[in-house]
Amino acid sequence: AQKVTQAQTEISVVEKEDVTLDCVYETRDTTYYLFWYKQPPSGELVFLIRRNSFDEQNEISGRYSWNFQKSTSSFNFTITASQVVDSAVYFCALRSGDDKIIFGKGTRLHILP
Amino acid sequence: EAQVTQNPRYLITVTGKKLTVTCSQNMNHEYMSWYRQDPGLGLRQIYYSMNVEVTDKGDVPEGYKVSRKEKRNFPLILESPSPNQTSLYFCASSLGSFGFGRSLNNEQYFGPGTRLTVT
């Protein structure tokens, strides 16, 4: 069975601190895709990244970085030098062989000024 | 402008009164899906479609129907809504197959959401 676990329900950090959001997934498929989405207080869902199972290289985009490790079935997301605008709910998701997409329950991130 | 549109954005209805939430995308995407979002449960997939006339159940399909007669449209139908279907609904679209290229720009597009209340 496929599963995505975001163990951190809610995190609060002070602005400019670094913060890492954890995502652990389960799948029996060898080919799959992992995603991160952001849902700001306004409610829309914003795509951040897609990673396929054959590409374990880390990715960096500005203050955002992602660490994909198949050995631990994790796809963690780090925000460096956090800003108040990063306050949102962040979702990790998995799409594997049957094309279903499973989302984690999300991590609510509060960046305190 | 690339977008996914949903209508209506807000709907209050009564138990048992059939309703349809429309979803349309202008990106010629093969894959479309519906999700519901409930507090503490994240997003759960209701149905998805890999292409015209191809639909499959997600994790929570009970009480819902979908159709994919055209590539751009993927309506969600509630034949007999019940209060436990009160939720925030999102439609989404993407390419059917991502291949193995690395790209931060290969986006998954979501609609703005439909807040449904069933009394």
Side-chain angles (χ1 to χ4, degrees), chain B residues 31-78:
Chain B
Y31 190 99
M32 297 186 73
S33 61
W34 277 102
Y35 303 87
R36 59 178 290 173
Q37 183 177 14
D38 302 290
L41 297 178
L43 284 94
R44 293 178 293 168
Q45 193 174 42
I46 302 170
Y47 270 94
Y48 62 100
S49 169
M50 284 295 292
N51 216 322
V52 175
E53 303 293 357
V54 180
T55 62
D56 280 293
K57 295 178 181 178
D59 273 349
V60 288
E62 295 77 20
Y64 304 95
K65 286 175 59 178
V66 292
S67 69
R68 189 91 182 271
K69 295 188 171 73
E70 306 166 282
K71 199 171 187 180
R72 64 182 291 126
N73 296 323
F74 191 45
L76 179 70
I77 303 156
L78 285 72

Side-chain angles (χ1 to χ4, degrees), chain A residues 31 33 35 37 39 43 45 47-52 54-55 57-59 61 91 95 98-105, chain B residues 31 35 37 40-43 45 48 50 57-59 88 90 94-96 98-104 106-108 110:
Chain A
T31 300
Y33 303 97
F35 307 87
Y37 296 88
Q39 188 175 41
L45 282 154
F47 168 82
L48 296 178
I49 191 171
R50 166 185 65 84
R51 177 51 48 85
N52 75 63
F54 295 95
D55 185 356
Q57 290 190 43
N58 292 335
E59 190 75 45
S61 176
F91 293 99
R95 174 178 167 180
D98 60 4
D99 290 313
K100 283 185 181 179
I101 297 181
I102 304 294
F103 277 76
K105 293 184 179 179
Chain B
Y31 190 99
Y35 303 87
Q37 183 177 14
L41 297 178
L43 284 94
Q45 193 174 42
Y48 62 100
M50 284 295 292
K57 295 178 181 178
D59 273 349
L88 177 59
F90 287 99
S94 66
L95 294 173
F98 299 123
F100 298 106
R102 303 176 74 212
S103 170
L104 289 174
N106 191 346
E107 294 191 36
Q108 304 278 304
F110 277 82

